[in-house]
Amino acid sequence: MVIVGSGHGGAQAAIALRQAGHAGTIVMLTRDRTPPYERPPLSKDYLAGEKPLERILIRPEAFWAERAIEVRLGTEVVAVDPETRILTTGEGARIGYGTLIWAAGGEARRLGCPGADCGGLHTIRHRHDVDALRGELSAGTRRAVVIGGGYIGLEAAAALRKLGCEVTLIEQQDRLLARVAGAALGSFFRDEHRRQGVDVRLGTEVVEILSAAGRVTGVATGGGEVIAADIVIAGIGITPAVGPLITAGAKGGNGVEVDAFCRTSLRDVYAIGDCAAHPNPYADGSLIRLESVQNANDMGNCAARAILGAPEPYRALPWFWSNQYDLRLQTVGLAQGYDMEVLRGDPKERSFSVVYLRRGQVIALDCVNRTRDYAQGRRLVEARARVAPEALANAELPLKELL
């Protein structure tokens, strides 16, 4: 078994294979130079300096050797030959495989505007990204511009405010979280970040990164304004790392396509996690990519079962979370295609939920500091329950009573 990638999906696939009794070789190849670690803390606790590396490792470093899982750090796979079952690394080494699990994730999308190659411009995808950013912050950097109003951008803005930075957040859309949530949640986080001192700019396009002596000095917007900056963080999504598979003939585009058992169109090649476009039952069976710990872990388990001859189709319920300031957002289901959002509770009390409906069925919930709604709402999403909006809006009525 060769696993390409050491994030949550790759690590879980290796663990699941051993737990299910696979006694053969397992080799994990990773571009990272750090043993498998959790990604979500990078834009939260790790950036804020509240969690050291040891506390974000997926398992203690000795765990992998104890289970005969070989982890080769600093190894990038640049080519796959599905006929000979040979992988080629960036250094020219050739590695054979019997079964391949591609869990390479993706790379942070870069800004495409002029000046986007100067010093002081950062992304948050790997540990070394955040280490470099923290190094500049410790040197006294205090004016930060965050580009992107999704979860990474919002979490980074919150962490930077904790560290005492002046933060401007720029979002091209007219609301925050526009790709993943409704207007109520976006408005709440806009107001919350402004209350915390973040200068939130919506409907604003970045047209140039300004610099002097090779370092960023500011951001120019489409409206002709220049926002001064010592550092800039681009949180504008990822590009799936699937080039070698697509070149080898695997079907795909925005990710590599897999079936319900995580199998690609190449023989004995599986793909999991952020880079895998899979048919999701909570998206009406359409092919989607999900960038979440839940998806990576569950796909790792799914691939392991299929490889070892006990296949079960991927049916996992999607869930996500985000921590910002003292707020904990928990999401269950997929809100895409919703035609109604029902507000449950009062956002002014900083504890509320948004329930998303499509054709009368509950398809997702966003729960802010409301764990009970999240736990009980999972069952409504799983059942595709049809519930009257006025009942959902009654915050005093437990969701479990509506099933």
Side-chain angles (χ1 to χ4, degrees):
M1 301 285 179
V2 174
I3 301 170
V4 176
S6 63
H8 291 274
Q12 183 58 35
I15 292 169
L17 287 167
R18 280 289 184 250
Q19 287 178 336
H22 175 68
T25 301
I26 300 177
V27 178
M28 188 184 302
L29 310 176
T30 175
R31 292 167 293 180
D32 264 297
R33 298 188 179 276
T34 303
Y37 59 92
E38 300 174 3
R39 277 14 183 216
L42 294 180
S43 56
K44 308 179 186 75
D45 314 78
Y46 188 73
L47 173 56
E50 297 171 352
K51 275 189 177 180
L53 174 63
E54 292 72 21
R55 290 185 58 197
I56 69 170
L57 292 177
I58 291 175
R59 293 288 191 276
E61 190 169 353
F63 172 92
W64 308 104
E66 290 168 357
R67 285 154 183 80
I69 298 170
E70 181 183 355
V71 182
R72 298 188 190 178
L73 303 177
T75 303
E76 181 176 9
V77 174
V78 298
V80 177
D81 187 334
E83 298 300 322
T84 62
R85 303 191 187 212
I86 295 290
L87 307 176
T88 303
T89 73
E91 296 181 346
R94 291 160 59 83
I95 301 169
Y97 67 87
T99 301
L100 174 64
I101 301 177
W102 193 269
E107 288 300 325
R109 186 172 289 120
R110 305 287 173 169
L111 295 171
C113 61
D117 57 351
C118 63
L121 182 60
H122 298 270
T123 58
I124 296 177
R125 183 65 184 175
H126 302 285
R127 175 205 170 192
H128 61 78
D129 296 331
V130 182
D131 286 348
L133 175 56
R134 288 172 60 182
E136 294 194 14
L137 293 171
S138 64
T141 295
R142 283 294 171 260
R143 297 176 301 176
V145 171
V146 178
I147 301 172
Y151 289 122
I152 293 295
L154 295 179
E155 290 166 359
L160 291 170
R161 285 299 295 145
K162 281 185 179 181
L163 295 172
C165 293
E166 299 175 18
V167 181
T168 301
L169 187 141
I170 299 175
E171 168 54 49
Q172 192 171 17
Q173 302 293 322
D174 60 1
R175 60 186 173 89
L176 299 178
L177 301 172
R179 289 193 310 112
V180 295
L185 193 73
S187 296
F188 170 77
F189 277 105
R190 174 201 63 201
D191 295 343
E192 179 63 24
H193 277 273
R194 285 175 173 167
R195 190 177 75 83
Q196 297 283 354
V198 178
D199 183 1
V200 179
R201 310 286 186 94
L202 301 177
T204 302
E205 181 182 10
V206 173
V207 296
E208 186 177 1
I209 304 298
L210 306 176
S211 63
R215 278 202 58 84
V216 63
T217 58
V219 172
T221 72
E225 185 180 8
V226 172
I227 303 171
D230 302 310
I231 58 170
V232 172
I233 299 174
I236 55 174
I238 71 166
T239 301
V242 295
L245 286 187
I246 301 301
T247 300
K251 188 176 180 181
N254 179 25
V256 61
E257 293 184 17
V258 299
D259 65 10
F261 304 98
C262 300
R263 297 176 299 203
T264 73
S265 59
L266 302 177
R267 184 181 176 188
D268 292 325
V269 177
Y270 294 73
I272 60 177
D274 293 1
C275 65
H278 64 279
N280 192 289
Y282 293 93
D284 290 336
S286 60
L287 284 175
I288 63 171
R289 284 193 311 104
L290 287 180
E291 299 168 16
S292 73
V293 171
Q294 167 273 315
N295 178 63
N297 283 341
D298 286 333
M299 291 190 89
N301 291 330
C302 179
R305 286 192 297 265
I307 290 167
L308 297 181
E312 294 180 21
Y314 183 83
R315 299 193 186 97
L317 176 63
W319 55 265
F320 315 84
W321 83 93
S322 177
N323 295 332
Q324 299 167 44
Y325 309 111
D326 60 342
L327 301 170
R328 181 165 178 81
L329 168 65
Q330 294 170 287
T331 296
V332 61
L334 300 174
Q336 63 183 50
Y338 72 92
D339 51 35
M340 179 181 291
E341 55 180 303
V342 178
L343 186 61
R344 180 177 168 84
D346 187 357
K348 292 180 181 178
E349 296 180 1
R350 305 175 83 248
S351 176
F352 68 98
S353 298
V354 181
V355 185
Y356 299 92
L357 305 176
R358 184 174 63 232
R359 298 188 294 275
Q361 292 183 320
V362 176
I363 61 170
L365 291 89
D366 284 322
C367 307
V368 177
N369 289 348
R370 207 172 177 93
T371 300
R372 187 175 69 170
D373 276 3
Y374 168 76
Q376 297 181 9
R378 293 175 62 93
R379 298 176 62 193
L380 296 179
V381 176
E382 288 175 326
R384 275 78 163 179
R386 293 183 179 275
V387 184
E390 56 269 23
L392 292 169
N394 183 355
E396 302 303 316
L397 186 63
L399 288 175
K400 65 182 179 181
E401 296 184 11
L402 303 179
L403 190 65

